[in-house]
Amino acid sequence: MAKISVKTLQEMKIRGIKIAAATAHDASIALLLDKNGIEVILVGDSLGMVVQGHDSTLPVKMEHMIYHTCCVAKTNKNALVIADMPFGSYTSNANAIENAVLLIQSGANMIKLEGGRELQEIVKQLKLLGIPVCIHLGLLPQSINTMGGYYVQGRTEEAAKKISEDAEILVNAGAQLAVLECIPESLASDMSKLLKIPTIGIGSGKFTDGQILVTYDLLGLSNNNYKFCKSYADLIPSEAIKSYVKEVKEISFPSKDHILA
């Protein structure tokens, strides 16, 4: 498999080829994913829960993300590596640029930001510096204290319109990939058709341009039992990853059993 780039993902969207993505926080998991067909590896701040044992992503710090990004980059050869910008690391243009540069220097190919139109200027600045940006819309784990819990977002017409408009604003600012988390399948489908950049869904139905799962959930190594997840724990790890990739490509995952709304 040739090295995946942002351009590769764009070409996959145009050709209708689904993108298979998963998370990694260490060299061993990164190697497992890379060798078995995963095209996008997210060094996610989900490490706060599945690695560090917290009940949210909020305690994750920049030094944690830098360390884990370095670990993943050492063994990954082919997948595109995205690193999450943790809570508090992009409160201004200046610290967003500084922290994004650190993650790129640690081996990330792209950084990910949670939020809507309020990030427009940050996205513009990062684009000018040659740093690819993935946006994250819908359920925003870093905003859990204001959202009041982990709930499906965009259920009302007004909320759906805001998410869709936020995406368009950020794409116009220079975003090149979008993660859509826990929004209605119909909204995710409409946005994937409307946006010129690839979309990767989690808990948002099967009509996005790709899917992502937390690898600890996928392998049955966590205590999470979210409806949108599927565990492949009955298979050895390499076969589990291959099966997940195959089902994403064939659009058999997510099935109706994994649809939230």
Side-chain angles (χ1 to χ4, degrees):
M1 184 169 71
K3 174 68 178 177
I4 302 293
S5 66
V6 173
K7 183 179 178 181
T8 309
L9 300 183
Q10 185 64 46
E11 290 172 348
M12 291 174 72
K13 176 183 177 77
I14 293 169
R15 296 170 61 191
I17 301 171
K18 296 294 183 179
I19 300 162
T23 63
H25 305 107
D26 61 70
S28 296
I29 294 295
L31 182 61
L32 173 71
L33 299 180
D34 189 44
K35 289 177 66 176
N36 290 287
I38 292 293
E39 289 137 342
V40 174
I41 294 176
L42 172 65
V43 187
D45 58 2
S46 55
L47 74 90
M49 293 181 280
V50 298
V51 175
Q52 297 175 334
H54 300 295
D55 61 2
S56 76
T57 65
L58 301 181
V60 177
K61 298 178 174 61
M62 264 305 298
E63 54 260 39
H64 302 151
M65 293 306 305
I66 290 169
Y67 171 77
H68 288 282
T69 300
C70 285
C71 292
V72 167
K74 284 184 183 298
T75 54
N76 174 66
K77 303 298 181 187
N78 304 298
L80 179 87
V81 175
I82 303 173
D84 264 334
M85 295 275 281
F87 177 72
S89 67
Y90 48 104
T91 55
S92 68
N93 284 6
N95 79 330
I97 291 168
E98 179 182 0
N99 289 322
V101 167
L102 289 172
L103 290 174
I104 296 296
Q105 290 176 332
S106 299
N109 306 118
M110 172 179 264
I111 60 92
K112 180 163 75 65
L113 306 170
E114 290 186 17
R117 64 193 71 190
E118 68 277 5
L119 300 175
Q120 182 178 9
E121 290 306 314
I122 290 175
V123 173
K124 284 182 179 178
Q125 289 299 313
L126 292 176
K127 181 185 179 183
L128 288 173
L129 292 172
I131 298 176
V133 176
C134 173
I135 53 176
H136 184 143
L137 296 160
L139 175 62
L140 308 177
Q142 291 180 14
S143 300
I144 193 63
N145 287 330
T146 54
M147 286 188 165
Y150 297 98
Y151 306 112
V152 175
Q153 303 296 309
R155 284 185 180 275
T156 67
E157 183 177 348
E158 181 181 3
K161 181 180 179 182
K162 182 182 185 304
I163 292 172
S164 185
E165 288 179 347
D166 281 354
E168 288 193 80
I169 289 169
L170 294 179
V171 169
N172 289 335
Q176 293 179 278
L177 189 66
V179 168
L180 306 178
E181 180 168 3
C182 294
I183 64 174
E185 184 175 59
S186 58
L187 174 59
S189 176
D190 290 343
M191 290 178 65
S192 298
K193 293 173 184 174
L194 177 67
L195 297 176
K196 60 186 179 183
I197 65 171
T199 60
I200 296 180
I202 178 166
S204 299
K206 65 182 181 180
F207 298 113
T208 48
D209 299 309
Q211 298 290 332
I212 187 167
L213 286 179
V214 173
T215 300
Y216 285 88
D217 298 339
L218 189 162
L219 296 178
L221 299 175
S222 72
N223 293 320
N224 296 329
N225 191 29
Y226 306 125
K227 181 179 179 182
F228 61 79
C229 291
K230 179 176 180 179
S231 173
Y232 298 79
D234 56 329
L235 302 173
I236 64 171
S238 60
E239 292 304 316
I241 301 301
K242 288 177 183 175
S243 293
Y244 165 65
V245 171
K246 182 173 183 289
E247 291 182 11
V248 169
K249 300 292 185 184
E250 294 176 347
I251 324 179
S252 57
F253 174 81
S255 70
K256 62 180 181 180
D257 294 332
H258 306 109
I259 306 301
L260 296 178

